[in-house]
Amino acid sequence: MATSRELFNVRTPRDALAVLLQTLPRRAESEEVATFDALDRVLAEDIHSPADLPTFRRSTMDGFAVRAADTFGATEGVPAYLEIVDEVLMGHAPTRALATGECARIATGGMLPERADAVVMVEQTQEVGPTTIESLRAVAPGENMVQVGEDVRTGDPMLEGGHILRAQDLGGLVALGVTSVRVARRLRVGIVSGGDELVDPRQEPGPGQIRDINSYTLTALIRRDGHEACLMGIFPDDYAELESAARRALASSDVVILSAGSSVSARDMTGQVVDALGRPGVLVHGVSLKPGKPTILGVCDDKAVFGLPGNPVSCMVTYDLFVSPTLAYLSGAVTPPRRTLTARLTRNIASATGREDYVQVRLSRDADGTLEAVPVFGKSNLIFSLVRADGMLKVPLDAGGLNAGATVEVVLF
Ligand code: AMP
Ligand code: MG
């Protein structure tokens, strides 16, 4: 029974996650989506370039397409004289090839005429007659132009399965005419919010009641991670009600989060519910972490089930540490989508060894422009300590704290 035990057998955050992921089968369900809609989705296939890019030789400057040999030795004092025989229009092929001593006016991105092999920048030329220019400089073959396939070649590995698609990836794909891609299916995450004190945010709380925060912060985090949240509702601290809500969530979702009731008092029933939902049930109950010690990680019928602490700060921190990487793992994502930066800590932070601490920080710049991490201290159940923060930093397991002036890594919210 989960009700009377204490959290003696706590695991480190890293071990806790490893135990969960080892027990969880990785399903590779995928779907085809339009490339235009694939931002932040996890690519489910390796993509090799179906074509050369560019498909034709292109100028990288405004100027004149030339045969490089015709400019050899040219200087301002002794320029090379060239005859303008064509103007290459954007979006069109040149009308003719170049013969010795000839050039064609060309703009950036224009298609080089046959037998041209370089471009002289317009700034390095002088027009000396209606159809004659001086090239004031020599250009080498290949200068100021890109070759066919210089960007990417047919068959080149382009993007690997597991990659999270960014704007430039979508750009590269559409450039090659790849207008649909196979991506990991979005996971559906059911959220059950437990607590006698909770009311819907649209309601005015009565004495002793509070508005449900976690259903909405969790929904936002799940969407940020590219998945779909399904709110099951608010449930009282009643075993039968919680279990039936959790069962419905498990049946209709890929992953379940039970908010609150994850500790060990008589009113905390999440552990018991997870054990009842399916096998093997609770894998981890208690993590050496602050905030977030009373966290439950479980697997029921091959699905991940989380019991996150109800304190809104703990709930968000433990989502980031455990739920977010699990969703990434299940989607086959290779890189976790988190951004970090380094900053200088402005104050000492105390911690206990053997526990990982996460401290909210605000970022600002000192007089020299150095980025500073200013701890946002507050009692741990204050949602506004998160609202006022830009990110959080980790005080490692074996550190007794961090000193003011230390360079720290901040995970951005
Ligand atoms: P528990 O995890 O049930 O021990 O709850 C810890 C603290 O978090 C208590 O102060 C709860 O009132 C609060 N809490 C629980 N669930 C929520 C929620 N959904 N939104 C805001 N606060 C909550
Ligand atoms: Mg509670």
Side-chain angles (χ1 to χ4, degrees), residues 193-194 197-198 210-215 259-262 268 309-312 381:
S193 192
E197 70 278 28
L198 301 181
I210 59 166
R211 292 191 174 93
D212 174 13
I213 295 173
N214 297 343
S215 288
S259 155
S262 64
D268 293 319
N311 162 347
N381 58 350

Side-chain angles (χ1 to χ4, degrees), residues 312-325:
V313 178
S314 312
C315 187
M316 280 195 66
V317 168
T318 53
Y319 174 92
D320 266 345
L321 288 178
F322 302 112
V323 185
S324 185

Side-chain angles (χ1 to χ4, degrees), residues 231-244:
L231 292 183
M232 305 302 294
I234 296 169
F235 299 88
D237 293 311
D238 171 85
Y239 180 81
E241 289 223 37
L242 283 170
E243 197 205 296
S244 92

Side-chain angles (χ1 to χ4, degrees), residues 195-333:
D196 286 335
E197 70 278 28
L198 301 181
V199 298
D200 183 285
R202 285 154 287 209
Q203 241 172 281
E204 194 59 44
Q209 295 184 324
I210 59 166
R211 292 191 174 93
D212 174 13
I213 295 173
N214 297 343
S215 288
Y216 304 95
T217 49
L218 288 170
T219 296
L221 291 168
I222 290 161
R223 288 187 185 153
R224 177 203 69 186
D225 286 346
H227 300 285
E228 199 186 310
C230 176
L231 292 183
M232 305 302 294
I234 296 169
F235 299 88
D237 293 311
D238 171 85
Y239 180 81
E241 289 223 37
L242 283 170
E243 197 205 296
S244 92
R247 266 191 206 292
R248 273 178 280 129
L250 189 70
S252 60
S253 319
D254 302 296
V255 170
V256 175
I257 300 176
L258 307 174
S259 155
S262 64
S263 198
V264 290
S265 83
R267 304 197 58 76
D268 293 319
M269 282 163 282
T270 300
Q272 215 180 323
V273 168
V274 176
D275 272 334
L277 278 191
R279 288 173 172 280
V282 174
L283 299 169
V284 173
H285 193 175
V287 185
S288 47
L289 179 65
K290 188 187 172 190
K293 185 179 179 190
T295 292
I296 293 171
L297 308 183
V299 170
C300 304
D301 300 341
D302 287 346
K303 291 179 180 174
V305 179
F306 296 89
L308 302 188
N311 162 347
V313 178
S314 312
C315 187
M316 280 195 66
V317 168
T318 53
Y319 174 92
D320 266 345
L321 288 178
F322 302 112
V323 185
S324 185
T326 301
L327 299 178
Y329 169 84
L330 291 173
S331 309

Side-chain angles (χ1 to χ4, degrees), residues 335-348:
T335 40
R338 302 314 308 275
R339 292 191 186 282
T340 63
L341 48 77
T342 55
R344 200 167 50 77
L345 186 60
T346 58
R347 293 182 55 171
N348 293 338

